[in-house]
Amino acid sequence: MAKEISASMIEKFSDKIQTTAENKVIKDAVMKNGIKAATLNSEAVVSMNPVFSEEIETGKVSDQKASGRCWMFAALNTFRHKLSDAFNLKDFELSQNYTLFWDKFEKSNFFLESIIDTANEPLEGRLVTWLMDTPQQDGGQWDMLVAIVEKYGVVPKQVMPETFQSGRTLELNRVLDTKLREDAGVLRNMSADGKSREELEEAKTGMLSDIYRILAFVLGEPPKTFDFEYRDEDKDFHREIGITPQAFFKKYVDLDLNDYVAVINAPTKDKPYNKTYTVQYLGTVVGGHPIKYLNVDMETLKSLAISQIKNKESVWFGCDVVLYSDNTLGIMDTDLFDYDTAFGTEFKMTKAERLDYKHSCLSHAMVLTGVNLVDGKSNRWKVENSWGEKWGTKGYFVMSDAWMDEYTYQVVINKKYLSDELKAAFEQEPIELKPWDPMGALAVMQ
């Protein structure tokens, strides 16, 4: 039988606070300054020295502004690091607006195809409810960006610059989701009336025409070809006439994206290590690059990231940046805030429990550009964020090794750094996870 909160119970709770003298000091400090400021551990701040034994110089930090494009910025940042070194450019950026356009267009098609596929599922069922919750959004993962780049290529930022709404995507998302939910209702009703798949697909094509028009008006229409002109750091002028976005990626970025593997750490009982996983109804480009993860223990994940950094190649990674981090200081550390002492209780969920009980998941993507090694072991990491230069050390953060253990969920690694056993493990057929599995979470932090 359920037991209600009684007056005597509240009295006991209050007495427990009042009978401890230091509680008044703590309460006053928290009330006046807020939880983070009142519990900040100055020793942890001092220990997070932004100096690293292994470091990649990557230049000025980019700014995603009020959008959830962190995963896209992080991936394009790894591309531009390579491009800038190869062609002697400084502070060069690829167009995040270009990839945003195609991501939203492809996500719209992916959603409408999912609606057609599930037309016979009950509207109130968990699957269709899950689809309707978020027809499209800013968030994504590495493999989703790969699918976009493989199909559409990339362009310099100057060719398709930011617009008002590309850096403030809230209203665009509202407009697109309104239209897509309306379209979903039309397609489901057509299916209920006995219309064929071909008729549904024909109707969907007209819907996509509307979506394309909305995106073109808001973000601009992506170029089919463009002229690439630049002056390098030696002041030499270069010109490329009429190049396509696909040819630009091949010539100037020159990465085989199939060489890169999404490596995760999900220490839950339902996901054994050295197995591969995918997620139902997660993706961007229908028929494009598949989403596939290789699950490994945390020490293996870190050793792979260290190997890539030591070879002067930055590492895309996904984490839960919200917990135990401070944006102003640019520090992520499990000791940064002493909540246990301040509140007289313990916060002791394990990483697996945080995933199982929906307390944590991949929410943000950034780039690892350095690591500090002591006797071959990492103790802190250099992180390139995409929130501009006002946060941390000109936009760069410091992450403790303990924080990486607890709140990092994914890194992207070139296959050449994998052992033969891990390469073989990655080639396994992936186990399908439900759409709402925490490993299907998208990096979408602003």
Side-chain angles (χ1 to χ4, degrees):
M1 183 176 179
K3 185 177 181 180
E4 67 180 31
I5 295 174
S6 65
S8 62
M9 189 186 299
I10 294 172
E11 190 67 26
K12 286 180 181 179
F13 295 160
S14 179
D15 287 345
K16 194 173 180 180
I17 293 174
Q18 300 299 327
T19 55
T20 306
E22 59 265 28
N23 282 345
K24 183 180 186 307
V25 177
I26 296 171
K27 180 164 69 76
D28 288 345
V30 175
M31 289 175 65
K32 179 175 176 57
N33 301 293
I35 294 173
K36 283 191 170 182
T39 62
L40 184 68
N41 179 2
S42 60
E43 291 180 359
V45 175
V46 172
S47 69
M48 290 295 100
N49 184 17
V51 177
F52 310 89
S53 61
E54 306 290 334
E55 190 170 6
I56 305 166
E57 292 298 328
T58 51
K60 186 178 180 181
V61 166
S62 56
D63 189 354
Q64 68 189 76
K65 300 181 180 178
S67 73
R69 297 175 290 167
C70 55
W71 60 287
M72 188 179 291
F73 270 70
L76 293 177
N77 283 340
T78 64
F79 296 168
R80 72 170 175 138
H81 297 159
K82 184 176 185 301
L83 188 156
S84 296
D85 287 344
F87 293 92
N88 195 22
L89 292 169
K90 182 180 180 182
D91 298 331
F92 177 84
E93 286 190 52
L94 295 165
S95 173
Q96 303 91 357
N97 187 31
Y98 177 82
T99 47
L100 176 67
F101 181 102
W102 291 121
D103 177 63
K104 291 202 172 296
F105 189 57
E106 289 285 350
K107 277 178 179 168
S108 297
N109 183 56
F110 195 97
F111 170 74
L112 294 175
E113 282 292 317
S114 299
I115 293 300
I116 294 174
D117 289 342
T118 59
N120 295 324
E121 294 283 336
L123 182 61
E124 68 278 9
R126 186 174 187 182
L127 176 56
V128 177
T129 299
W130 180 85
L131 290 171
M132 293 299 185
D133 277 346
T134 314
Q136 62 76 50
Q137 60 170 299
D138 289 357
Q141 294 189 11
W142 170 267
D143 284 329
M144 296 168 74
L145 193 279
V146 171
I148 294 294
V149 173
E150 286 182 340
K151 186 171 183 178
Y152 297 104
V154 295
V155 303
K157 190 166 188 172
Q158 182 273 330
V159 172
M160 190 170 176
E162 295 286 282
T163 68
F164 178 89
Q165 217 71 67
S166 67
R168 304 170 184 84
T169 52
L170 178 62
E171 196 58 39
L172 173 59
N173 286 331
R174 285 174 176 164
V175 170
L176 290 176
D177 286 347
T178 298
K179 192 61 181 170
L180 288 170
R181 289 189 179 107
E182 176 186 303
D183 292 342
V186 172
L187 291 172
R188 284 181 63 88
N189 288 336
M190 288 178 64
S191 178
D193 290 341
K195 300 298 183 183
S196 67
R197 177 85 188 212
E198 290 73 19
E199 289 172 306
L200 295 179
E201 291 289 353
E202 185 178 352
K204 187 203 75 172
T205 299
M207 295 167 179
L208 287 175
S209 177
D210 291 337
I211 297 297
Y212 187 94
R213 186 185 309 110
I214 292 168
L215 290 171
F217 287 0
V218 173
L219 303 176
E221 197 166 5
K224 297 177 179 64
T225 62
F226 60 93
D227 298 339
F228 181 42
E229 298 177 322
Y230 69 97
R231 196 174 292 277
D232 63 26
E233 284 298 285
D234 295 327
K235 307 304 180 185
D236 293 329
F237 180 78
H238 305 265
R239 177 184 288 133
E240 182 96 28
I241 302 297
I243 191 170
T244 67
Q246 296 88 342
F248 179 85
F249 178 81
K250 185 176 181 179
K251 178 174 180 177
Y252 289 94
V253 180
D254 190 28
L255 283 175
D256 185 350
L257 297 178
N258 290 309
D259 286 342
Y260 290 82
V261 174
V263 177
I264 63 170
N265 175 246
T268 50
K269 291 181 180 179
D270 64 326
K271 299 180 185 70
Y273 289 146
N274 299 327
K275 299 288 184 181
T276 61
Y277 301 88
T278 190
V279 182
Q280 296 173 342
Y281 292 98
L282 181 65
T284 299
V285 177
V286 173
H289 187 88
I291 289 179
K292 187 177 181 181
Y293 315 128
L294 173 62
N295 194 23
V296 303
D297 64 85
M298 201 61 203
E299 287 305 311
T300 299
L301 184 148
K302 289 191 294 187
S303 69
L304 292 170
I306 290 169
S307 295
Q308 190 157 304
I309 290 170
K310 290 178 76 171
N311 201 38
K312 299 301 180 183
E313 184 175 1
S314 54
V315 178
W316 187 103
F317 82 108
C319 64
D320 190 359
V321 77
V322 174
L323 302 173
Y324 292 91
S325 67
D326 185 276
N327 297 344
T328 302
L329 295 170
I331 292 175
M332 299 174 287
D333 183 17
T334 53
D335 291 330
L336 190 57
F337 304 106
D338 190 355
Y339 299 143
D340 291 16
T341 301
F343 296 116
T345 187
E346 289 185 89
F347 296 86
K348 54 185 180 181
M349 291 177 74
T350 65
K351 188 174 189 177
E353 289 169 338
R354 286 192 292 271
L355 288 170
D356 283 339
Y357 290 92
K358 313 302 180 187
H359 182 63
S360 180
C361 64
L362 188 155
S363 65
H364 188 50
M366 298 179 282
V367 182
L368 298 173
T369 62
V371 61
N372 195 59
L373 301 177
V374 179
D375 296 327
K377 293 289 186 179
S378 53
N379 68 354
R380 62 181 180 269
W381 301 73
K382 182 180 180 182
V383 175
E384 179 182 358
N385 205 344
S386 55
W387 292 345
E389 293 188 294
K390 63 181 180 179
W391 306 110
T393 305
K394 292 187 176 181
Y396 288 89
F397 283 34
V398 182
M399 173 175 66
S400 74
D401 201 62
W403 194 97
M404 188 175 193
D405 288 343
E406 295 296 325
Y407 299 111
T408 290
Y409 296 107
Q410 185 176 157
V411 295
V412 173
I413 301 296
N414 192 304
K415 287 180 183 178
K416 66 185 179 182
Y417 299 111
L418 272 60
S419 66
D420 290 341
E421 291 78 12
L422 289 178
K423 289 176 183 176
F426 184 75
E427 295 305 318
Q428 297 174 91
E429 192 68 22
I431 298 166
E432 258 194 344
L433 304 174
K434 295 295 185 182
W436 37 84
D437 189 275
M439 286 300 106
L442 301 181
V444 72
M445 283 294 296
Q446 298 182 11

